[in-house]
Amino acid sequence: MKIGFIGAGKMASAIIKGVKAKSFTVVLSERDSKASLTVANRLGVAAAQSHQELIDEVDIIVLGVKPQMVETVLAHLNINKPLISMVAGVSLERLSQVTQPTLPLIRIMPNLNAQILKSTTAICRNQYVSDQLMATAKTITDSFGTTFELPEQDFDTFTALAGSSPAYIYLFIEALAKAGVKHGLNKKQALEIVTQTVLASSQNLLTGTDSPNDLIDKISSPGGTTIAGLLDLEKSGFTASLVSSIDATIAKAKEL
Ligand SMILES: NC(=O)c1ccc[n+]([C@@H]2O[C@H](COP(=O)([O-])OP(=O)(O)OC[C@H]3O[C@@H](n4cnc5c(N)ncnc54)[C@H](OP(=O)(O)O)[C@@H]3O)[C@@H](O)[C@H]2O)c1
């Protein structure tokens, strides 16, 4: 099966790595043919001369341009192949308005962990996507991580919790490491300590039966260090501040 990527920036490049490993054939088309060739050579895939040439030769198209480029890029193309869009905030309805009303359309929301084939990806479809095509789309998304089928109405929330949240998690890691430096550790060591702890804490949740609150209670000895730190964290509104940042992310996704 041949997959054609229109727009191959950071996210599509990460995805292409997984897709290639699953033996799909990949061709891409970028802003212009020179850019296509440069990116294709870097990723070890083929470059198309134009978006239309790509559409004509592939089985499935993957759209990886920025939200504000969608109408400009799709408007003058004759699209007669199923389209998978990774574009944040752009609905199936909006995609069908710029392609054609009965085109099979799939929306996915990956995250940058696709770089290590561990993306958490949401997927949904319109009514013109057969079960077989959906299964193929899931084979594609499973090639670069884990797939969650969600109703489209939950995509903006998913975008915040999984698409954008790695940035918030990196900020959290960076802040903890800075605290380590403040108290005398060198930065490299502090980052390594914090990163390993975050990784193992996630694995503990995924592999065990304890909820986050169960684990918090287990770590917080009466009168101990952790409860002192936890209460201080909430004094500065940690939970409220995080929820507020998710609200802002969802609001922005709805504006795109
Ligand atoms: N990054 C994330 O973590 C993430 C997560 C989930 C979803 N997404 C979605 O993935 C999409 C791509 O994001 P990204 O972070 O990969 O952005 P990006 O790196 O800027 O990728 C967009 C690519 O499209 C190219 N492009 C610009 N105009 C084009 C045209 N007319 N035809 C074909 N390609 C064109 C850009 O080339 P130039 O650089 O030359 O402009 C760039 O290589 C976005 O819609 C975003 O919402 C991203």
Side-chain angles (χ1 to χ4, degrees), residues 6-12 29-31 51 64-67 69 73 86-88 109-112 163:
I6 297 182
K10 293 178 285 296
M11 182 50 69
S29 183
E30 263 280 310
R31 175 187 290 280
H51 296 343
V65 297
K66 289 283 190 195
M69 293 299 298
V73 169
M86 69 178 85
V87 183
M109 181 46 57
N111 69 21
L112 207 59

Side-chain angles (χ1 to χ4, degrees), residues 8-9 13 16 28 30 34-45 47:
S13 297
I16 287 171
L28 63 80
E30 263 280 310
K34 190 164 167 260
S36 301
L37 207 57
T38 307
V39 180
N41 285 341
R42 176 166 50 80
L43 298 173
V45 299

Side-chain angles (χ1 to χ4, degrees), residues 86-190:
M86 69 178 85
V87 183
V90 176
S91 67
L92 292 169
E93 174 61 25
R94 191 167 142 196
L95 287 167
S96 90
Q97 279 164 8
V98 270
T99 53
Q100 48 128 324
T102 58
L103 191 72
L105 292 169
I106 291 171
R107 236 181 117 180
I108 63 171
M109 181 46 57
N111 69 21
L112 207 59
N113 291 329
Q115 280 180 338
I116 55 162
L117 310 185
K118 289 200 169 172
S119 170
T120 316
T121 306
I123 190 167
C124 69
R125 59 173 154 171
N126 71 1
Q127 70 264 46
Y128 303 106
V129 175
S130 66
D131 289 345
Q132 195 190 354
L133 176 57
M134 188 66 165
T136 304
K138 281 184 187 162
T139 310
I140 294 173
T141 50
D142 284 345
S143 76
F144 54 87
T146 312
T147 310
F148 293 83
E149 191 167 352
L150 281 186
E152 188 177 25
Q153 70 197 40
D154 292 331
F155 257 55
D156 291 337
T157 305
F158 185 91
T159 301
L161 290 190
S164 303
S165 76
Y168 315 150
I169 293 164
Y170 293 132
L171 185 67
F172 173 78
I173 290 173
E174 179 63 27
L176 280 178
K178 280 198 174 88
V181 173
K182 181 182 176 194
H183 290 279
L185 296 182
N186 74 53
K187 182 71 184 284
K188 186 168 175 291
Q189 198 179 30

Side-chain angles (χ1 to χ4, degrees), residues 192-203:
E192 210 169 310
I193 291 167
V194 174
T195 305
Q196 285 293 353
T197 306
V198 169
L199 177 67
S201 303
S202 299
Q203 282 170 340

Side-chain angles (χ1 to χ4, degrees), residues 23-24 33 57 76 82 88 120 124 148 159 181 226 233 248:
S23 310
F24 288 104
S33 54
E57 72 177 83
H76 303 294
T120 316
C124 69
F148 293 83
T159 301
V181 173
T226 307
L233 204 54

